[in-house]
Amino acid sequence: MARGNKKPAATKAKPQKQSRPNTSKEIENSDSTQSVPLALQQKCLDIFQRALKPGEDDTKVLQEVKGHLYNRDFAAAFGQDDYLRVYASRWSPSRALGYLQVLIDVQDVLFQGSQASVDSEDQAYKTVCLGGGAGAEVVALAAWIHRQDDDSDVSPLKSLQADFVDIAAWQNVVSSLHEAVTTPQELSKYASAAAREANIAMVPGNAYSAKFDQIDVLALDLSNWQERLNQVDLVTLMFTLNELYSTSMAKTQKMLAHITDCLAPGAHLLVVDSPGSYSTVSINGAEKRYPMHWLLDFTLIGSQQSREDGDVPAKWEKLVSDESKWFRLLQGLRYAIELENMRYQIHLYRRLPD
Ligand SMILES: C[S@@+](CC[C@H](N)C(=O)[O-])C[C@H]1O[C@@H](n2cnc3c(N)ncnc32)[C@H](O)[C@@H]1O
């Protein structure tokens, strides 16, 4: 997809000065305004129901997964096929709805300056979702494309290519959900002609291609990233960055540096994570805890926010930042098991020309 070079305006004013983190800073909690119709949100939940078939029988497995997550033993929590299906059916649906709202909230910024009339295969909007195996991003992106239909004359998003990259073996979850969003639902043989006519896929298969790669993103070298991020428009790190920081601060910084080197000007990096996530950094033998968003700003922008500020121009500009928001589930949504509201922090950056 062609990207424009126009400088988009920040959507939410936040102090952009880099300073020592204030750990006692109060975090505000704004609610995101819901703009996705209930029917589309229900359609997303139905996709999860159809593809992953959550139900009462999952209770025991769900308890085991919760136990591993509580102990922060992610290798165990994501180490078995039945755990993955149950995790994705329990935690990914509400996240998918939250991410859909996030994408809609930021799309004007993402598409600002885009000259594209994106209607051919090789001009698809290219997205790489790091830590994106659990299915929330698969469904959110599908619903995002679907939502553009309402605005088809002005939306540059006509087709999308997504690469889901994750260390755990999520391929079955990704392919089941991708199939569910790109194929019409199976109807009973008694379904009416009207129901058959209305029964269309959330997105046509040719508008949404998905690929899954089981990879440790912290182990990729520069040439791997060059290949993976060639012509990519958007990289996402949804509820994954803090996990990566916890695994290895140094490797995560290196990964972000590679992403910076390999993304073209105009590409975006979207980070969503739990609010108030901290990571411990050891500096000269002393351990200090820093907020995740501060570390991220420090790595991407350093001590400069503007290219005019100093000798070394910043490689990113921060367009959207909120340290705590709520995505609350609408009343009236139906799903086989309990779902939760999502509280999150969000940061969106745009790669600047070198
Ligand atoms: C909390 S889950 C979030 C999943 C999904 N992005 C979402 O928002 O629902 C974190 C994900 O990051 C993945 N992950 C953790 N470390 C990773 C690594 N080093 N390389 C790739 N993926 C990793 C996990 O396997 C898991 O799927």
Side-chain angles (χ1 to χ4, degrees):
M1 176 174 184
R3 284 185 293 269
N5 293 321
K6 271 210 252 157
K7 186 178 172 179
T11 57
K12 172 139 193 196
K14 279 265 164 187
Q16 300 289 305
K17 271 259 177 267
Q18 200 68 39
S19 59
R20 287 289 305 278
N22 179 356
T23 49
S24 63
K25 181 172 183 261
E26 272 201 17
I27 289 175
E28 61 186 77
N29 283 289
S30 54
D31 271 28
S32 57
T33 311
Q34 294 251 1
S35 60
V36 180
L38 185 75
L40 179 55
Q41 297 197 31
Q42 185 59 53
K43 207 166 180 163
C44 292
L45 297 186
D46 294 345
I47 294 283
F48 280 97
Q49 188 68 46
R50 223 169 101 200
L52 306 179
K53 303 184 175 47
E56 306 255 302
D57 296 351
D58 294 335
T59 311
K60 183 172 165 290
V61 178
L62 186 58
Q63 287 314 321
E64 289 172 18
V65 175
K66 280 184 177 172
H68 293 309
L69 292 173
Y70 182 80
N71 295 327
R72 299 189 65 77
D73 185 352
F74 299 115
F78 300 136
Q80 288 178 212
D81 230 30
D82 54 343
Y83 283 6
L84 295 176
R85 183 189 63 76
V86 166
Y87 176 98
S89 63
R90 167 67 176 76
W91 279 281
S92 298
S94 45
R95 286 209 180 141
L97 300 185
Y99 298 164
L100 172 58
Q101 186 62 58
V102 164
L103 288 165
I104 288 170
D105 287 347
V106 302
Q107 70 181 19
D108 286 351
V109 178
L110 293 180
F111 299 150
Q112 192 159 7
S114 168
Q115 297 121 20
S117 151
V118 188
D119 49 15
S120 73
E121 183 78 349
D122 62 341
Q123 284 181 306
Y125 189 80
K126 289 194 179 144
T127 305
V128 173
C129 301
L130 304 176
E137 290 94 322
V138 178
V139 176
L141 289 170
W144 190 39
I145 305 167
H146 176 92
R147 188 85 180 107
Q148 308 299 315
D149 279 354
D150 296 350
D151 249 346
S152 55
D153 287 345
V154 289
S155 171
L157 181 63
K158 305 279 193 290
S159 68
L160 188 143
Q161 265 177 37
D163 182 5
F164 302 97
V165 185
D166 202 291
I167 199 168
W170 292 108
Q171 49 270 45
N172 290 340
V173 166
V174 170
S175 59
S176 306
L177 287 167
H178 183 255
E179 192 183 325
V181 295
T182 51
T183 50
Q185 191 177 348
E186 219 170 279
L187 294 181
S188 116
K189 60 181 176 184
Y190 305 109
S192 66
R196 283 178 195 288
E197 203 181 326
N199 185 30
I200 52 168
M202 182 182 268
V203 279
N206 61 4
Y208 184 26
S209 67
K211 145 167 120 69
F212 175 77
D213 293 311
Q214 188 178 355
I215 287 172
D216 177 355
V217 295
L218 298 181
L220 295 179
D221 64 20
L222 184 61
S223 64
N224 298 140
W225 283 112
Q226 275 163 343
E227 215 174 295
R228 194 161 289 282
L229 298 185
N230 184 28
Q231 299 207 315
V232 162
D233 296 284
L234 172 67
V235 173
T236 69
L237 277 161
M238 310 298 240
F239 283 90
T240 295
L241 182 63
N242 205 50
E243 212 169 303
L244 298 180
Y245 272 135
S246 311
T247 305
S248 166
M249 176 67 59
K251 287 183 183 173
T252 306
Q253 307 281 66
K254 197 164 163 194
M255 176 195 82
L256 292 169
H258 287 332
I259 292 174
T260 301
D261 285 344
C262 297
L263 282 179
H268 293 90
L269 174 67
L270 175 63
V271 178
V272 168
D273 220 304
S274 307
S277 298
Y278 280 77
S279 288
T280 303
V281 185
S282 182
I283 298 172
N284 299 331
E287 303 241 299
K288 285 206 171 129
R289 276 160 58 76
Y290 290 91
M292 185 202 82
H293 66 91
W294 186 88
L295 290 167
L296 186 60
D297 275 357
F298 187 78
T299 310
L300 298 185
I301 305 175
S303 58
Q304 296 160 37
Q305 292 293 320
S306 116
R307 294 166 64 77
E308 294 87 41
D309 257 9
D311 297 329
V312 187
K315 296 200 169 179
W316 293 91
E317 68 178 324
K318 196 170 189 176
L319 305 171
V320 175
S321 187
D322 201 319
E323 284 173 46
S324 180
K325 283 191 95 161
W326 276 102
F327 172 79
R328 295 182 201 276
L329 295 160
L330 290 178
Q331 293 226 329
L333 288 171
R334 287 167 282 105
Y335 192 62
I337 53 175
E338 193 197 352
L339 298 174
E340 280 163 20
N341 298 325
M342 180 178 92
R343 190 169 159 239
Y344 62 100
Q345 57 175 305
I346 175 172
H347 310 285
L348 176 68
Y349 301 84
R350 177 177 177 266
R351 181 72 167 86
L352 293 169
D354 285 323

